[in-house]
Structure formats: structure tokens, C-alpha cells
Amino acid sequence: MSGRVTAVSSNGEYSFTKPNRDSIRLLAGLGVEGDVHAGVTVKHRSRVAQDPTQPNLRQVHLIQEELFDEVGEEGFTVAPGDLGENITTRGIDLLGLPVGTLLRIGDSAVLEVTGLRNPCLQIDNFQNGLLKQVVGRDEAGNIVRKAGIMTIVREGGVARPGDTIEAEPPSGPHRPLDRV
């Protein structure tokens, strides 16, 4: 399975959205260089409040650009970086990947998929009603989260718009994504 990077974003300050960049540097074991969420231990405020020594399984956030098309049909306007993601993709089913999938980006970067982003109320502060578009329930009543995936950086490198992304599923049984 493969796709491409359509945008990269980072922000050194806590803010819901992240400005687009020409490139971002991915640092092994840390995340995006200069991004507020980079680090070995958790950086998201709610997780820091719970236990600041937890490992950071949310170093790099990826979101599928196809979601923007989907919510656009419902009257919402969302662009790359608006939902706080670091890497916006197209052509790869991020939500269908199993835990442990390696994502090879560009010449040398390798990310490992850890789970789903758990959307929060800040999404409705960005655009009222958008949260219901990115989190809902399926026919069986199970929660469906569409706001992208979280990863850790296994091998560093630079990511740029236009880079290819190759997904390498782990060996063994498929472990579906859950929130991290």
C-alpha cells in the first residue's frame, strides 16, 4: 500500500492548528524537530496532567486528506494543518493500517503506527459541528474515529510534500488501531 505526502506542518507553540512548512525533520525517538509535541515522554497537555512519565506514542500525527473532501461535502472547510496534524496524506488508507505498520516516507524516514488520534472538543471550537463528522458510530454502535493516526519515529529523515509513503504491515495477526 502506498500514497503520498500532500502537506507537512509543525508548530513550536501549543495551538490547535499547525502552519504548513516546506519540509519537516523527523527525529528518531522524538518526533518533529521544533514541534511542541516532540519528545520521549507525553507532551499533549491532558496526558501530561495524568502522568508526565508516559512514553510519547503520539510523536507524529498523520491525517488523510480524503477526510477533508468528506467533511467538505457536509459544508466544512478544512485544509492541511487545520486539525493539528504534522503530515497530510492522500492515497493511503491510514485508518485501515494495523498497529505496528511501518511507514517509509521520502528517502529515509520511518514511522511506526501506534494508534488512532482521539478527537477532542477543540475540533468544535475550530468549526462548530465538525467533531460529529470526525467521530461517530458504525451500524453496530462502535465508535469510529476518523481524525487520523499517531506514530513514533523509528528512523529520522526529512518529509516534504510530494514524498511517497510506503506502508509495510507487521508480521503476525492484524491488530486493529485503537485510540492512543
Side-chain angles (χ1 to χ4, degrees):
M1 182 184 310
S2 66
R4 64 182 171 85
V5 173
T6 60
V8 294
S9 310
S10 68
N11 199 340
E13 299 176 10
Y14 281 104
S15 141
F16 183 69
T17 62
K18 294 186 178 189
N20 296 154
R21 310 288 182 191
D22 292 332
S23 65
I24 55 173
R25 181 169 300 283
L26 302 166
L27 304 174
L30 295 174
V32 178
E33 182 177 53
D35 192 82
V36 70
H37 294 115
V40 174
T41 56
V42 292
K43 300 301 175 200
H44 287 77
R45 291 176 176 170
S46 63
R47 287 176 170 56
V48 169
Q50 291 172 358
D51 177 3
T53 66
Q54 295 176 73
N56 188 2
L57 301 178
R58 300 165 56 99
Q59 293 175 357
V60 183
H61 175 205
L62 289 83
I63 200 164
Q64 62 286 2
E65 193 172 50
E66 290 85 351
L67 177 63
F68 305 160
D69 301 337
E70 183 182 322
V71 300
E73 292 174 7
E74 300 299 323
F76 296 91
T77 302
V78 181
D82 281 354
L83 298 183
E85 76 276 8
N86 300 109
I87 299 175
T88 310
T89 68
R90 184 163 287 277
I92 186 168
D93 179 13
L94 297 176
L95 303 177
L97 299 172
V99 172
T101 298
L102 297 180
L103 298 174
R104 299 184 183 283
I105 300 176
D107 294 334
S108 60
V110 179
L111 305 178
E112 180 181 335
V113 177
T114 57
L116 294 169
R117 175 190 185 186
N118 192 29
C120 64
L121 291 175
Q122 289 185 44
I123 290 177
D124 269 350
N125 293 336
F126 172 68
Q127 285 185 46
N128 191 37
L130 185 57
L131 181 60
K132 285 185 179 179
Q133 299 298 313
V134 300
V135 70
R137 295 196 180 267
D138 64 14
E139 298 79 28
N142 300 310
I143 294 175
V144 176
R145 294 172 178 87
K146 301 179 193 176
I149 63 170
M150 305 307 290
T151 65
I152 57 175
V153 182
R154 287 291 178 206
E155 296 178 30
V158 174
R160 295 177 179 85
D163 281 350
T164 59
I165 304 171
E166 295 290 333
E168 182 182 314
S171 59
H174 179 100
R175 292 184 357 212
L177 298 177
D178 199 0
R179 66 187 175 105
V180 292

